[in-house]
Amino acid sequence: MKDVQFGELPFLKHDCRVGTCVYSPDGTSFTVALNDGNINVYATSNWERTWILSGHNKEVLSIAYSPNGDRIVSGSNDSTVRVWDIATGDCLYIFIGHTSEIYSVAYAPQGTVVASRDSGGTVRLWEMESGNCRSIISGCDVINDMAFSPKGETIAHAGDDCRVRLWDVGSGEMRGILIGHTNSIWTIAYSARGGLLVSRDRGWIVRVWEAETGVCRHIFDGNLYTVLSPKGDQIAFHRPWGEDGVKLWDLKTGSYVRRLSGHKGGINSVAYSPQGDLIVSGGKDMVVRLWDVETGACRQTMTGHTGGVIKVLFSPKGDYIASASSDKTVRLWSVGSGSSRQISNHHSDGVMDLKYSPKRNQVASCSKDSTIRLWDAETAIHSRTLTGHSAFVSRISYSPQQDQIVSSSHDKTVRLWDVESGACLCVLTDHTDVVIDVVFSPQGDQIASASSDKTVRLWDVNTGECRHILIGHHSSVWTVTYSPQGIQVASAGVDGTVRLWDVETGASDHILTGHSKLIERIVYSPNGNQIASASDDASVRLWDIKTGTCTHILTGHQSNATCVVYSPRGGQVASASYDDKSVRLWDKESGDCRHIMKGHKEKIHAIAYSPGGNLITSWSDAGEAMLWDVETGECYWTLIHDGSTQSGGNVLVRPLVWISPDAFVTGDNNGSVGTWDVTKEGDQYHVHMRWISPNGRLSLKDACVQDVQGLSDFDKRLLKQRGATGEPSVRLREASKKVMSMTSVVSKLKSSPSGTDALNLSPTSPVISFTRHSGKQPQYAIHPGTFES
């Protein structure tokens, strides 16, 4: 039972592909049109199917509810339009007259007229009282779309003649023609109040018209699909390919607002909530995302589909989301529940960087979800989310005074934030490509940023001005750091060189050459006399800062060296390799290798010394952490974190940081942030989980619900769909007990055959197992969660 998400409802499984789906106006029923010609109607009170409406003998392409919700109209590839009674499931009318496939149907707002559009370029208006065809509207060879005005007095249609035609519904006479497009018009839509009409043509030109006067107010270029906000003040654009995300534009001013990015590929469907404050999107990446319109933050990521999402929509009250997929399912999600609010505190994509503020006892995390989040290191309380970047945030850094945070992003900007208020103080925009690294100077008056545009830029914190542009690298600059004294900046990257720069003048002090491949990481020694570089040529080099000479070449790794750090006192250097999965400890003075520490099963991405220098932690891209004794090289503890949802390209370069001699923080690929306490009893170390941020998912192995009491029908169906075995109890032994411990749900978890300990986890925790080393007993502290009946 993997990745059950809190707020998720049981899904609706069908035997053939879903064509489209729609809620009734009052939200009490939900209808799904299928490719086999059937239409399924569900009651949303329990999501039981109430009717199978059969009659069409080909795929149903369009369905619509009447304004009062008592009828459904459907259009099919069989060239017929049918009207159905929701109460009885009977077919009331079969409208015959079209000679080709029915592409769309719609009720007029008054409910007295139905419009149907076929592939042959004809729109027909049908009387609901008599079932007769009132009017046949044409005007061009092919009509691609139609729409009623909100008051129902006008119907607009557009097609291959590059014109939008407006017709009077009562008389059937044409009221006007909107001219301006130079390509076939594919879609049209009225704003909710009817003041605006939006049209989009084959050349991706979108025109916004004043419906009354026919004046074209705005023209937008390069957009494929459009969705209007309920208030008519905003328009959303998306494409079914690429990674452009959802682009929002202000319809009053015609200005660009922001981009909602996060989907891995094209977006097939977008919908606004009825209140207009949220947007839901469904993509080819099989993911549904919920966005805050005001901030652009991704509030919820919903996974579970095994095929591309073809349509998303909100319920009329905005409290539920439905998503239809090519996997033949419709999935249902709760919006605004307590669980959804928990999910909003959690990063919706991989954690890229972590930093700790001792003064505030605060952890800052940044993510591929384009946000920065601030956490109380002791209590796990999420205090603030910093939003503004439009692409994933690569690095963050606290100022020495710890009152500001600087961030770098793939949106090509650097942002400076006030920690107390969360306000963005300034946006630094001079880079011409993605910004990969950023850091404060030790004095806090300057910021250095490294970019794929081959430059390092030094910024004045007070004015936001660029003091120096450091030019010399021949390719992307991956890492930048200040010397401990703040008088020098070091940079390195794809060209395999380390360059040392004078902060005051911007002049190049030394160019350190010797590596044959790109340099992953550089770091100054604590006293600033030496710098270490780790490279994909499998070596670590130690350089003398004054002379620029290489004092030691540390070889032994079998593949690229991805990490290098100095011990707190500077006498030792630790390095890790991505592919050989080892950590090596080196003597700084002699260059000798003191320990080779192996045990990781996955590629290592990060290492860090404890503040006392007696321990070192290492972290792999699959979330596997190990704790090592520096003196002996012995591994004391291993954590296997199964919360990762992606691998491969999701590189976590700095997903852990020590916050005290006996505690460290981790971040992982599914967006979780957690704090771990380290204690020593005799000669043995033990690690306890202090807290972990909610991730909204539950993963259990061999879950059994036999005789479990208090599960709602929704919970029963969802757990069974996700693979839980056994039958829940029908009768409650304790009727007054409305909450049961989660441990009763998973009380029959099977023991792992490998000898690892099986744990009962809270709904906010990922799957975790602790492996014994040298007879030492693993320790854990995880609080069980609850299910409500």
Side-chain angles (χ1 to χ4, degrees):
M1 193 174 74
K2 182 175 177 57
D3 287 342
V4 178
Q5 299 172 70
F6 293 88
E8 177 184 359
L9 279 68
F11 57 81
L12 311 177
K13 179 67 176 177
H14 303 94
D15 294 329
C16 64
R17 180 165 175 159
V18 175
T20 187
C21 53
V22 63
Y23 274 97
S24 64
D26 62 1
T28 59
S29 70
F30 183 81
T31 299
V32 180
L34 302 173
N35 281 20
D36 64 1
N38 288 328
I39 301 168
N40 289 352
V41 182
Y42 297 87
T44 58
S45 58
N46 56 12
W47 290 100
E48 296 290 343
R49 186 168 57 192
T50 55
W51 299 112
I52 300 177
L53 309 180
S54 299
H56 289 295
N57 56 37
K58 290 186 179 180
E59 176 184 3
V60 179
L61 299 177
S62 180
I63 50 176
Y65 276 90
S66 61
N68 62 10
D70 63 342
R71 294 181 179 183
I72 291 174
V73 61
S74 58
S76 167
N77 268 353
D78 64 8
S79 306
T80 68
V81 177
R82 291 176 179 255
V83 179
W84 310 85
D85 187 289
I86 288 296
T88 64
D90 295 333
C91 181
L92 303 178
Y93 296 111
I94 304 175
F95 298 150
I96 299 175
H98 288 287
T99 58
S100 57
E101 300 92 340
I102 310 299
Y103 278 176
S104 63
V105 293
Y107 263 96
Q110 297 86 352
T112 58
V113 175
V114 162
S116 56
R117 174 180 65 88
D118 65 26
S119 61
T122 300
V123 172
R124 290 177 177 254
L125 302 182
W126 309 86
E127 290 277 3
M128 284 296 93
E129 186 66 29
S130 64
N132 296 326
C133 179
R134 172 193 284 188
S135 303
I136 301 176
I137 299 173
S138 60
C140 62
D141 291 338
V142 177
I143 296 176
N144 295 320
D145 201 7
M146 66 178 185
F148 279 106
S149 65
K151 293 182 179 180
E153 300 170 347
T154 304
I155 187 169
H157 75 73
D160 283 356
D161 67 350
C162 311
R163 288 163 168 76
V164 179
R165 287 179 163 80
L166 309 179
W167 299 81
D168 186 280
V169 173
S171 65
E173 296 180 354
M174 189 165 59
R175 299 178 57 181
I177 302 177
L178 308 181
I179 300 175
H181 286 284
T182 57
N183 280 291
S184 300
I185 302 173
W186 283 358
T187 61
I188 55 174
Y190 277 96
S191 62
R193 297 178 182 176
L196 300 175
L197 190 148
V198 177
S199 56
R200 191 263 305 170
D201 68 26
R202 188 178 62 183
W204 304 355
I205 301 296
V206 174
R207 288 178 174 261
V208 181
W209 312 84
E210 292 183 1
E212 188 64 29
T213 65
V215 174
C216 182
R217 180 185 291 184
H218 301 297
I219 300 175
F220 301 102
D221 190 5
N223 301 285
L224 188 56
Y225 292 116
T226 61
V227 182
L228 283 171
S229 66
K231 297 179 182 178
D233 58 346
Q234 193 178 78
I235 189 169
F237 297 115
H238 65 98
R239 298 182 186 181
W241 64 81
E243 296 192 7
D244 290 342
V246 181
K247 296 179 180 179
L248 307 182
W249 292 77
D250 188 290
L251 280 182
K252 294 180 181 179
T253 64
S255 59
Y256 175 73
V257 179
R258 65 175 50 85
R259 182 166 70 101
L260 313 178
S261 60
H263 283 285
K264 311 300 183 191
I267 297 173
N268 292 325
S269 180
V270 166
Y272 279 89
S273 65
Q275 299 78 20
D277 58 337
L278 300 173
I279 283 178
V280 63
S281 58
K284 290 187 174 180
D285 59 1
M286 304 179 285
V287 175
V288 178
R289 290 181 178 268
L290 182 67
W291 310 89
D292 187 289
V293 170
E294 184 66 27
T295 66
C298 181
R299 290 182 49 179
Q300 190 168 342
T301 301
M302 294 156 275
T303 60
H305 283 298
T306 57
V309 180
I310 58 177
K311 184 172 182 179
V312 291
L313 67 159
F314 280 93
S315 63
K317 294 181 180 179
D319 51 350
Y320 290 100
I321 291 169
S323 57
S325 167
S326 59
D327 64 9
K328 304 178 184 179
T329 69
V330 175
R331 290 184 179 264
L332 310 164
W333 318 87
S334 176
V335 177
S337 66
S339 57
S340 295
R341 284 195 296 271
Q342 286 184 335
I343 293 170
S344 69
N345 292 342
H346 165 80
H347 284 297
S348 59
D349 210 335
V351 177
M352 295 301 298
D353 199 7
L354 292 170
K355 290 296 187 295
Y356 175 65
S357 166
K359 182 178 178 180
R360 296 175 176 272
N361 196 26
Q362 184 182 75
V363 174
S365 59
C366 69
S367 167
K368 283 190 172 183
D369 68 6
S370 308
T371 70
I372 301 156
R373 296 174 188 261
L374 307 181
W375 315 80
D376 185 287
E378 183 64 32
T379 65
I381 294 175
H382 167 253
S383 60
R384 197 173 300 280
T385 299
L386 311 182
T387 60
H389 283 295
S390 59
F392 76 71
V393 184
S394 52
R395 294 288 181 274
I396 49 175
S397 176
Y398 276 100
S399 65
Q401 297 77 20
Q402 300 173 32
D403 58 345
Q404 294 177 338
I405 286 176
V406 66
S407 58
S408 60
S409 170
H410 280 213
D411 64 7
K412 307 177 186 179
T413 70
V414 174
R415 286 178 178 257
L416 185 64
W417 310 85
D418 181 80
V419 174
E420 190 65 34
S421 66
C424 181
L425 302 177
C426 65
V427 183
L428 312 178
T429 59
D430 289 353
H431 281 294
T432 59
D433 207 335
V434 298
V435 187
I436 301 174
D437 200 5
V438 69
V439 64
F440 270 102
S441 66
Q443 293 77 22
D445 61 341
Q446 195 178 80
I447 292 168
S449 57
S451 169
S452 288
D453 65 8
K454 308 177 187 178
T455 70
V456 174
R457 292 176 184 261
L458 306 184
W459 311 84
D460 187 287
V461 170
N462 295 321
T463 66
E465 295 179 355
C466 182
R467 288 183 180 177
H468 298 292
I469 303 175
L470 311 182
I471 299 175
H473 285 287
H474 303 302
S475 192
S476 298
V477 186
W478 278 24
T479 179
V480 64
T481 184
Y482 281 90
S483 66
Q485 297 79 18
I487 60 174
Q488 190 179 71
V489 163
S491 61
V494 176
D495 65 6
T497 67
V498 180
R499 293 175 183 258
L500 307 182
W501 313 85
D502 185 276
V503 168
E504 188 65 30
T505 65
S508 176
D509 290 339
H510 295 290
I511 302 175
L512 313 181
T513 60
H515 285 296
S516 59
K517 292 185 179 180
L518 70 87
I519 296 172
E520 299 267 3
R521 188 63 49 203
I522 54 174
V523 60
Y524 278 93
S525 62
N527 62 13
N529 295 331
Q530 193 180 74
I531 196 166
S533 57
S535 169
D536 278 4
D537 64 10
S539 74
V540 174
R541 290 177 179 252
L542 306 183
W543 310 84
D544 184 276
I545 292 302
K546 291 182 179 180
T547 64
T549 58
C550 179
T551 59
H552 294 292
I553 303 175
L554 312 180
T555 59
H557 286 296
Q558 302 304 307
S559 65
N560 47 334
T562 51
C563 310
V564 62
V565 290
Y566 280 92
S567 62
R569 296 182 180 180
Q572 192 179 74
V573 173
S575 63
S577 172
Y578 186 72
D579 284 321
D580 75 9
K581 305 168 189 174
S582 71
V583 177
R584 291 175 181 255
L585 302 185
W586 313 84
D587 185 274
K588 170 193 164 185
E589 296 300 326
S590 66
D592 294 336
C593 182
R594 295 183 54 188
H595 295 295
I596 302 174
M597 300 178 290
K598 294 185 176 181
H600 277 285
K601 297 180 180 179
E602 302 295 337
K603 299 173 181 179
I604 301 174
H605 275 307
I607 53 176
Y609 278 95
S610 65
N614 58 320
L615 299 171
I616 193 167
T617 47
S618 54
W619 188 268
S620 77
D621 66 346
E624 177 192 36
M626 303 188 84
L627 181 69
W628 310 86
D629 184 279
V630 169
E631 186 64 30
T632 65
E634 182 181 3
C635 179
Y636 279 110
W637 170 82
T638 296
L639 169 123
I640 302 172
H641 192 306
D642 196 28
S644 245
T645 58
Q646 302 178 30
S647 61
N650 288 312
V651 178
L652 303 179
V653 183
R654 300 178 184 172
L656 68 87
V657 59
W658 285 84
I659 61 176
S660 70
D662 53 6
F664 60 92
V665 177
T666 61
D668 68 16
N669 229 358
N670 76 348
S672 292
V673 177
T675 296
W676 306 82
D677 292 311
V678 180
T679 60
K680 187 175 184 180
E681 298 175 7
D683 61 348
Q684 296 184 5
Y685 287 95
H686 304 285
V687 180
H688 307 259
M689 180 192 291
R690 185 187 300 177
W691 58 264
I692 195 163
S693 65
N695 66 4
R697 295 188 178 100
L698 175 66
S699 294
L700 299 174
K701 296 180 180 179
D702 302 317
C704 178
V705 293
Q706 184 68 36
D707 297 327
V708 170
Q709 301 177 23
L711 284 177
S712 68
D713 290 338
F714 280 177
D715 289 335
K716 292 176 186 176
R717 290 170 60 189
L718 179 59
L719 291 170
K720 295 290 284 185
Q721 284 177 348
R722 289 304 192 123
T725 61
E727 292 299 325
S729 175
V730 177
R731 179 176 59 86
L732 285 174
R733 295 192 183 98
E734 298 177 41
S736 62
K737 186 175 181 181
K738 294 185 178 181
V739 179
M740 68 175 182
S741 170
M742 180 184 166
T743 55
S744 66
V745 179
V746 294
S747 60
K748 297 189 179 183
L749 285 175
K750 298 177 183 177
S751 299
S752 170
S754 63
T756 56
D757 301 281
L759 304 179
N760 294 327
L761 301 180
S762 73
T764 61
S765 299
V767 170
I768 300 171
S769 63
F770 294 83
T771 305
R772 297 183 180 91
H773 287 276
S774 304
K776 300 175 178 60
Q777 293 299 315
Q779 300 292 319
Y780 51 87
I782 302 179
H783 303 286
T786 59
F787 276 7
E788 287 194 22
S789 61

